[in-house]
Amino acid sequence: MDTGTWDYSVFWKETMSQIKNELSEQEFFMWFKNLEYHHSNESEIVLKVPSSFYRDQIKQRYLPLIESKLFELSGNRINVDFAVESNVNNNINPKRDRGRDNLKSNLKKVQKKPHYQLKNEYRFENFVIGENNSFAANASIAIAKNPGRAYNPCLIYGGVGLGKTHLIQAIGNSAYSDFDNLKIVYITAETFTTEFIQAIRNQITHKFKNKYRSADILLIDDIHFLQNKDETQEELFHTFNALYDANKQMVFTCDRPVSELKRLSNRLRSRFERGLNVDLQPPNYETRYAILNQKIEEKKVSIPNEVIELICKNITTNVRDLESALTKLIAYADLVNKEITLDIARQQLKDIFSSPKQSNISIELIQRAVAEYFGLSHHDLRGRKRTKAIAFPRQVAMYLAREITEYSTTEVGLEFGGRDHTTVMHACEKVENRMRTDPTLEPTINHLIRTLKDMSTKI
Ligand code: ADP
Ligand code: MG
């Protein structure tokens, strides 16, 4: 039979219109707008997708739905296949020819000067999506395609090294290359604060206001820095309102959920909580593996699989730590001009690997971090007071001491005002039980662990 005569495009059109009716406008826009009929033969329809990321997401989310619709309409089992249009990066399984693909995808972009505030490398194309970050990444992609209308404002939160800056800047870079007339402003909350203080000092606050209130997309990184900065908060509150009323896109990042920020005005807090709040979690093994592979491709080095596996098994904290292990290894291999082997990797990375059961995390450091987090002093946690406001943070600190140090319950008890080891055991049980019923507790604990690991590597 001449397969060239098969044309399922009518069924495809009908399938799309049915799916459109079944999904929200937002969801349809996000996933189906870029899906195009390409060609068909007797047994399959081939659809054109803009990237392998889209292909994988569509397959995972919608393939059964699409295939069953096609079956209902045509009475045939029609397979669906995908043709990736161009500039493809397979985020999950990086392919050999990525370099060339990147070149192609960047062709359009090199015609424009890079955005002066954004790092060119922070792009969706090289952001590996796993279950830990897929919601945040997909929301970011939707925002970049449809600024001011998709999710506004959007707040991305999560601990250090999990990709907040990468994502918020990728939104900027993507919108910058797709739209010609949008004013995109990226700034860290820290620089925003410094600029504002200088503007007051130099009596040019009108200039400052104008710069931020004329943005079409305002991206502010690390808003936890605004805690305690009352005047800057006030200024941002007014900026927020002006941009919000004008339907301008705002995206913020923060190292924790906004509800856990302290010394933040309630009205600004409620603005941040408006719109979409999405979190980034630490990547699981598969995602760590995919990320490392991608970084290795970018750096154009060759590293044996067993070494990649070794790193992924041993570094579980965040992407920044993964990257620094890789950088260290490559630097060493370069220096001594040797191939990277499993033995070399073990030897060179042993300090990094041994740090997670971080011997340099002291109980006092835990007490300080937990006290800071709950707005207490670390003496409160070491003391005898048993008010509710102190008792629970104290239990959390005891739990952490048992989880991430090698101290025994007796030793931990001694550090907490000479308490008995059974008190420590009871505290751990309490925290574990509460984690089962209170969904906010586990993220809090994870956040504290990450903060502690971060603090301990800086000591
Ligand atoms: P954060 O701002 O949350 O502290 P960053 O965005 O600075 O984290 O990320 C730390 C490093 O890890 C960056 O080099 C970033 O490119 C990389 N990274 C984080 N998440 C991913 C990911 N999912 N895929 C690829 N690289 C990532
Ligand atoms: Mg950052």
Side-chain angles (χ1 to χ4, degrees), residues 3 6 8 40-45 76-80:
T3 51
W6 285 93
Y8 284 132
S40 49
N41 60 40
E42 186 179 357
S43 59
E44 70 173 5
I45 287 189
N76 288 339
R77 290 265 170 229
I78 307 174
N79 291 326
V80 176

Side-chain angles (χ1 to χ4, degrees), residues 203-220:
Q203 299 182 328
I204 48 164
T205 49
H206 58 284
K207 263 197 178 164
F208 178 89
K209 287 185 204 302
N210 191 30
K211 173 173 172 191
Y212 291 100
R213 293 181 199 182
S214 62
D216 295 298
I217 302 182
L218 177 61
L219 309 166
I220 304 189

Side-chain angles (χ1 to χ4, degrees), residues 278-297:
V278 282
D279 71 332
L280 291 170
Q281 292 291 328
N284 64 16
Y285 180 82
E286 284 74 22
T287 312
R288 296 201 292 278
Y289 192 88
I291 292 175
L292 260 193
N293 253 316
Q294 138 121 356
K295 303 282 171 197
I296 288 167
E297 294 246 337

Side-chain angles (χ1 to χ4, degrees), residues 206-261:
H206 58 284
K207 263 197 178 164
F208 178 89
K209 287 185 204 302
N210 191 30
K211 173 173 172 191
Y212 291 100
R213 293 181 199 182
S214 62
D216 295 298
I217 302 182
L218 177 61
L219 309 166
I220 304 189
D221 208 355
D222 293 334
I223 56 153
H224 45 271
F225 186 85
L226 296 172
Q227 292 178 107
N228 231 0
K229 313 275 184 314
D230 297 344
E231 280 178 53
T232 314
Q233 285 181 27
E234 163 102 16
E235 177 57 28
L236 181 57
F237 172 75
H238 294 298
T239 304
F240 184 107
N241 291 344
L243 291 179
Y244 189 77
D245 290 344
N247 282 329
K248 304 299 188 187
Q249 180 70 50
M250 285 172 279
V251 184
F252 306 101
T253 71
C254 187
D255 70 353
R256 61 190 91 171
V258 178
S259 57
E260 290 170 18
L261 288 175

